């Protein structure tokens, strides 16, 4: 399966297992979603469980909060992460706090799916990575897969979870892994080991990172599309680096991160989101707090810039192999 098919399979499996699971969003029903991630679900489960909504993100999430409070497990889709901002009040003020302020009487077991990230010439309105905003809000879990296998297992775990979860899907790798070399032909998930996705039920626990590549010279923390860009860059350099795919930002598998950094003594953080207050800053702080006496060089970050995502300068903004290689060389020289 590619990532779209894996995500579709996860929703299919959960809708068949649990009649309280409903899918909703703009064009998710008859059309099957702008990226076809919900294709065929309305035909199989009917319009009461897979339905189109108006173009109103605050309304979509507001309705989902009410559904969750009354026993359903909604899986709303925000068509692009760039348009999730109108729903922030419902997500932060209502969904994230419902369990706390009701002393556990009500919950909001909703999983908000949304494609995010750049690398597709989507410009400033279709390329943003707003994950850092949600990691700041207590009560919300934030999950980002990097492979079809993980996408299905993590999405099933998110749907089963009793807390609201933001499930960001890196759209640049929907159809195949991307190594950051934008001027080379695109590759497919076909034949890739992480595309061997079981058709039935399985789950990957939230809050557990994956060692994408074991190594002893440098720890690289990344997630989503950046996992593949980092893997490619490390392979080109022939470096014995350990690549940690976080998978889940909240909850964060800090134990795996700490063990890796203490082993290697060096740490690089890579994400596509803007630098200031990006999730990399939190990672840097936690690594510094836990591993200071083990570090042999300053921690480096390779991120997007503090500017709207530029259409004409897409590949200058995107943290590609050139910028990652420069950061690695700096760390290894110290």
């Amino acid at each position: 399966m590619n990532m779209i098919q894996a995500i579709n399979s996860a929703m299919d499996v959960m809708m068949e297992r649990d009649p309280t699971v409903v899918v909703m969003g703009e064009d998710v029903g008859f059309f099957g979603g702008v990226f076809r991630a919900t294709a065929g679900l309305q035909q199989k489960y009917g319009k009461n469980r897979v339905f189109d909504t108006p173009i109103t993100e605050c309304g979509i999430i507001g309705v989902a909060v009410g559904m969750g409070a009354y026993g359903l497990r909604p899986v709303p889709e925000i068509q692009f992460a760039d348009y999730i901002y109108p729903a922030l009040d419902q997500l932060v003020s209502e969904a994230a706090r419902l369990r706390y302020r009701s002393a556990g009487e009500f919950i909001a077991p909703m999983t908000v799916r949304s494609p995010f990230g750049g690398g597709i010439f989507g410009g400033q309105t279709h390329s943003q990575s707003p994950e850092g905003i949600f990691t700041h809000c207590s009560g919300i879990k934030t999950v980002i897969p990097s492979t079809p296998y993980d996408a299905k297992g993590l999405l099933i775990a998110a749907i089963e979870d009793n807390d609201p979860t933001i499930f960001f899907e890196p759209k640049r790798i929907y159809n195949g892994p991307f190594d950051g070399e934008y001027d080379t032909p695109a590759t497919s998930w076909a034949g890739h080991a992480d595309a061997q996705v079981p058709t039935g039920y399985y789950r990957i626990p939230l809050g557990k990172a994956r060692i994408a590549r074991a190594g002893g010279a440098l720890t690289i923390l990344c997630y989503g599309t950046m996992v593949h860009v980092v893997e490619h860059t490390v392979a080109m350099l022939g470096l014995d680096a350990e690549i940690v795919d976080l998978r889940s930002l909240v909850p964060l598998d800090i134990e795996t991160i700490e063990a890796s950094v203490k082993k290697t003594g060096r740490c690089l953080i890579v994400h596509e989101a803007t630098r200031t207050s990006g999730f990399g800053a939190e990672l840097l702080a936690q690594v510094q707090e836990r591993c200071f006496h083990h570090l042999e060089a300053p921690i480096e970050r390779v991120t997007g810039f503090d500017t709207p995502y530029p259409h004409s300068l897409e590949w200058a903004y995107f943290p590609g192999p050139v910028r990652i290689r420069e950061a690695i060389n700096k760390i290894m020289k110290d």
Side-chain angles (χ1 to χ4, degrees):
M1 298 184 190
N2 62 28
M3 190 175 283
I4 295 172
Q5 293 165 332
I7 289 165
N8 181 280
S9 179
M11 288 185 282
D12 187 14
V13 166
M14 287 307 298
M15 293 189 77
E16 187 171 1
R17 286 171 60 93
D18 186 349
T20 67
V21 176
V22 296
V23 172
M24 55 195 286
E26 300 160 15
D27 297 319
V28 303
F30 176 81
F31 185 64
V34 67
F35 291 103
R36 312 300 292 162
T38 57
L41 296 180
Q42 187 179 80
Q43 291 90 326
K44 185 172 181 178
Y45 296 103
K47 295 181 180 180
N48 287 334
R49 294 188 64 195
V50 183
F51 56 92
D52 296 317
T53 67
I55 304 176
T56 169
E57 287 78 15
C58 64
I60 293 170
I61 301 304
V63 168
V65 172
M67 285 180 164
Y70 278 85
L72 297 178
R73 290 188 177 272
V75 186
E77 176 183 293
I78 301 297
Q79 201 165 82
F80 288 88
D82 311 68
Y83 302 121
I84 202 169
Y85 304 115
L88 274 179
D89 182 50
Q90 292 296 323
L91 285 167
V92 175
S93 301
E94 306 299 334
R97 300 175 184 176
L98 185 59
R99 180 204 290 267
Y100 181 87
R101 77 178 189 204
S102 69
E105 184 175 353
F106 295 102
I107 58 174
M110 53 193 286
T111 302
V112 184
R113 293 182 42 253
S114 190
F116 90 126
I120 62 164
F121 286 105
Q124 62 177 346
T125 57
H126 294 83
S127 302
Q128 296 175 57
S129 299
E131 66 271 15
I133 295 173
F134 297 98
T135 63
H136 180 71
C137 301
S138 300
I140 296 178
K141 295 178 179 177
T142 306
V143 178
I144 302 174
S146 67
T147 68
Y149 181 86
D150 282 0
K152 180 173 179 178
L154 290 169
L155 182 53
I156 286 175
I159 294 172
E160 291 182 330
D161 199 277
N162 284 334
D163 289 316
T165 301
I166 307 296
F167 193 89
F168 281 132
E169 302 164 5
K171 55 184 177 287
R172 183 60 180 84
I173 57 174
Y174 265 156
N175 293 303
F178 177 57
D179 61 12
E181 304 288 356
Y182 61 91
D183 54 354
T184 59
T187 58
S188 168
W189 282 112
H192 196 286
D194 291 317
Q196 304 304 312
V197 181
T199 57
Y201 173 91
Y202 69 93
R203 70 194 306 275
I204 297 172
L206 305 184
K208 185 61 180 174
R210 174 179 72 99
I211 303 297
R213 182 187 188 278
L218 166 68
T219 296
I220 306 180
L221 308 179
C222 49
Y223 50 88
T225 302
M226 291 300 110
V227 173
H228 305 281
V229 180
V230 167
E231 285 180 325
H232 170 69
T233 307
V234 167
M236 286 197 305
L237 292 173
L239 181 66
D240 182 31
E242 183 151 289
I243 301 172
V244 181
D245 176 4
L246 300 183
R247 299 202 291 198
S248 173
L249 307 189
V250 177
L252 179 67
D253 186 358
I254 189 61
E255 291 80 12
T256 294
I257 294 171
E258 182 177 354
S260 179
V261 175
K262 286 182 176 179
K263 177 178 67 173
T264 66
R266 291 178 168 84
C267 182
L268 170 65
I269 298 164
V270 183
H271 64 63
E272 192 178 346
T274 51
R275 185 178 182 87
T276 299
S277 299
F279 192 67
E282 175 64 24
L283 290 171
L284 191 152
Q286 294 212 32
V287 170
Q288 185 81 353
E289 289 168 358
R290 290 168 168 80
C291 307
F292 177 78
H293 293 291
H294 293 79
L295 290 171
E296 299 177 21
I299 304 168
E300 292 289 330
R301 283 183 290 166
V302 179
T303 70
F305 298 115
D306 293 334
T307 176
Y309 214 113
H311 184 274
S312 61
L313 296 173
E314 172 109 26
W315 302 116
Y317 183 99
F318 189 89
V322 172
R323 290 171 56 198
I324 295 172
R325 184 168 61 246
E326 290 174 351
I328 291 175
N329 290 335
K330 182 179 179 181
I331 293 174
M332 300 309 295
K333 186 167 59 177
D334 288 336

